[in-house]
DNA sequence: AAAGAAGAAGTGGTCAGACCATTGACACCG
DNA sequence: CGGTGTCAATGGTCTGACCACTTCTTCTTT
């Protein structure tokens, strides 16, 4: 058994000590005996219970932390220990970011999936967004409107705008996946922001697109919001990838 | 710094020993010095290099394994060591499955996102699928056609059908996210398969839907394939969640 | 000189034990 | 009753020993 089988099926016993722990946690979650907010047994206790070393327990806990399933704190009482937690968004973002960086997902692939998910998210946002949520996305637009804004800060606010719209969808998985995918493209997009020559033209287009999307979502026009966000993502990526002054495609990762 | 910051930004130094290692690997990947197929330094060497214990290195490696970034093998030479790998799909699946099991994503949320992604995947499959790929999805349909098939086996073949169509999309991220989300619903769907009374009616509808989707993809009718897969997912979920004999909704996780 | 066997070296995997910092619970004192 | 100090329990970290596996090197035999 190798590292591909970190989550073994129950038909086959775990091969490594830390996988014994993972299998135990998995079974507890599936059976409903461990839910969000519950604490795992202490590391030493779990090691005794499962007849593995404490190091094995710790390695399993790191795996679960990477998956956003648990968090750990030192100390006695309720503050200490390892708690089942609901942190899928960060875990998704970290995972996707690394694989984007490793060129395991071609940028064009990411853009396609991003279009599908952002269409879903703005449609749901147009139907579900609260004024408070729209305030968050509007604030990001206001930040981006600063004529002296640095490209990095613009990128951060641009990301925040999209994440805010995803958050307004009222659908946890849509929110997390949409945000994670936008975040995973933060560095590639910033890299392009830094290399394009026609930045002044591009940034105006981006601003106008964002405002149009915000307006469509605000008035509840789901179809228009979908159309606008798709056009925005595609045209922005196109502009950032093809810089006339550079005479060619900046390109993305190619497989 | 707590476990939420497993992937710290470089503006703040890592707080825990294993995060020093993660930050180092992150930097290596981002700079391009570590790419798919490359080996990390040996655990003992990396511990010396980064002035942490070997246990810290191992914990970081477990984190990276959970994210599908590395795999490890014992032994000298090229066979041994920790290698950068491209395994996003399994990592995504494991992550989503745990969070679905923890009820962190309401089933209805998952269905909505699944609809968006499967629409994308079948559209791309209609445009890009090879005969070999369509053969794989057809084989899953053939398995499901067995009149004596057990519900678990049907569920497995049903999953394989959707995964095969996603694989035919020719878009790595679409494939992985679509497959991961369908897989993450494998147990909830199987649970419903086991509890519905009108199984014979439902399974016929499922079979007919699958065949219609396969036919549309095969003849390259992207729009029809999209429409069919959305209708299929929604009506199947509705049928599986509302069982007249049970007199009410089986429901899903509620937040 | 070439081939095969044995040993060495290096790899991740595992464990035990010691120690550290943090945190809450409990006991004691005013 | 409130404040302080101590203790126990928690995760965090490190060290060192040993294991199984794999390849490489050295030695022996043909």
């Amino acid at each position: 058994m190798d590292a591909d089988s970190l989550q073994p099926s129950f038909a086959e016993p775990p091969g490594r000590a830390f996988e014994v722990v993972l299998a135990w946690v998995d079974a507890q979650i599936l059976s409903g005996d461990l839910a969000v907010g519950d604490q795992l047994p202490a590391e030493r206790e779990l090691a005794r219970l499962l007849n593995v070393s404490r190091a094995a327990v710790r390695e399993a806990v790191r795996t679960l932390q990477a998956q956003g399933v648990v968090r750990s704190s030192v100390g006695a009482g309720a503050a200490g220990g390892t708690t089942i937690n609901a942190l899928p968004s960060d875990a998704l973002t970290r995972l996707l970011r690394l694989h984007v960086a490793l060129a395991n997902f071609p940028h064009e692939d990411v853009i396609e999936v991003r279009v599908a998910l952002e269409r879903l998210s703005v449609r749901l946002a147009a139907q579900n967004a609260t004024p408070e949520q729209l305030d968050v996305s509007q604030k990001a637009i206001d930040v981006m409107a600063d004529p002296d804004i640095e490209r990095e800060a613009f990128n951060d606010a641009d990301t925040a705008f999209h994440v805010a719209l995803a958050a307004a969808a009222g659908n946890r998985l849509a929110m997390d996946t949409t945000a994670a995918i936008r975040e995973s493209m933060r560095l590639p997009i910033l890299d392009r922001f830094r290399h394009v020559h026609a930045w002044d033209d591009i940034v105006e287009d981006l601003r106008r697109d964002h405002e149009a999307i915000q307006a469509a979502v605000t008035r509840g026009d789901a179809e228009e919001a979908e159309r606008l966000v798709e056009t925005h993502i595609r045209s922005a990526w196109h502009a950032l990838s093809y810089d006339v002054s550079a005479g060619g495609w900046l390109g993305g990762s190619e497989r």
Side-chain angles (χ1 to χ4, degrees), chain A:
Chain A
M1 181 173 300
D2 66 27
D4 290 348
S5 309
L6 283 177
Q7 209 81 3
S9 70
F10 296 109
E12 79 188 84
R16 297 179 181 179
F18 83 98
E19 289 164 353
V20 172
V21 184
L22 287 181
W24 183 86
V25 174
D26 203 52
Q28 294 293 112
I29 289 171
L30 280 179
S31 68
D33 289 335
L34 269 181
V36 173
D38 292 346
Q39 284 200 314
L40 260 61
E43 293 177 353
R44 291 171 180 89
E45 188 183 331
L46 202 47
R48 275 193 304 266
L49 176 70
L50 300 179
N51 202 28
V52 294
S53 70
R54 191 174 149 218
V57 173
R58 296 185 56 76
E59 290 183 13
V61 167
R62 290 290 175 251
T63 299
L64 294 165
Q65 280 173 358
Q67 294 169 328
V69 172
V70 300
R71 70 192 305 178
S72 302
S73 307
V74 296
T82 303
T83 310
I84 302 286
N85 223 311
L87 298 164
S89 183
D90 288 347
L92 263 174
T93 299
R94 291 190 301 262
L95 188 156
L96 289 173
R97 225 193 51 179
L98 281 169
H99 285 286
V100 168
L102 284 169
N104 287 332
F105 294 127
H107 290 160
E108 283 72 21
D109 286 9
V110 179
I111 297 302
E112 282 295 324
V113 174
R114 203 177 146 220
V115 166
L117 287 173
E118 295 243 8
R119 286 186 62 124
L120 171 64
S121 291
V122 296
R123 169 156 55 85
L124 295 176
Q127 294 163 1
N128 301 324
T130 65
E132 292 75 30
Q133 286 168 331
L134 292 176
D135 209 33
V136 175
S137 52
Q138 183 58 48
K139 280 185 168 57
I141 287 178
D142 297 341
V143 169
M144 286 188 273
D146 176 2
D148 300 320
I149 192 166
E150 302 278 0
R151 295 179 197 191
E152 182 164 359
F154 186 95
N155 191 31
D156 291 344
D158 190 340
T159 301
F161 171 73
H162 288 276
V163 169
L165 284 188
N171 177 315
R172 285 287 302 274
L173 185 56
M175 175 177 80
D176 286 354
T177 49
T178 305
I181 285 172
R182 177 60 181 82
E183 290 275 4
S184 72
M185 292 295 287
R186 190 197 283 253
L187 288 184
I189 289 173
L190 180 59
D191 190 43
R192 281 164 171 67
F193 279 359
R194 287 186 170 143
H195 283 91
V196 291
H197 290 86
W199 171 247
D200 290 340
D201 295 337
I202 289 173
V203 77
E204 288 307 320
D205 289 342
L206 296 176
R207 286 181 177 130
R208 191 171 50 239
D209 286 353
H210 291 145
E211 288 177 359
I213 294 163
Q214 175 79 355
V217 171
T218 301
R219 67 178 180 266
D221 191 343
E223 285 193 22
E224 180 71 357
E226 282 199 56
R227 192 187 66 78
L228 286 170
V229 81
E230 174 164 3
T231 303
H232 163 61
I233 290 167
R234 291 188 189 284
S235 60
W237 187 250
H238 185 268
L240 290 171
S241 301
Y242 185 84
D243 187 4
V244 174
S245 306
W249 286 88
L250 282 179
S253 54
E254 294 299 332
R255 298 286 310 166

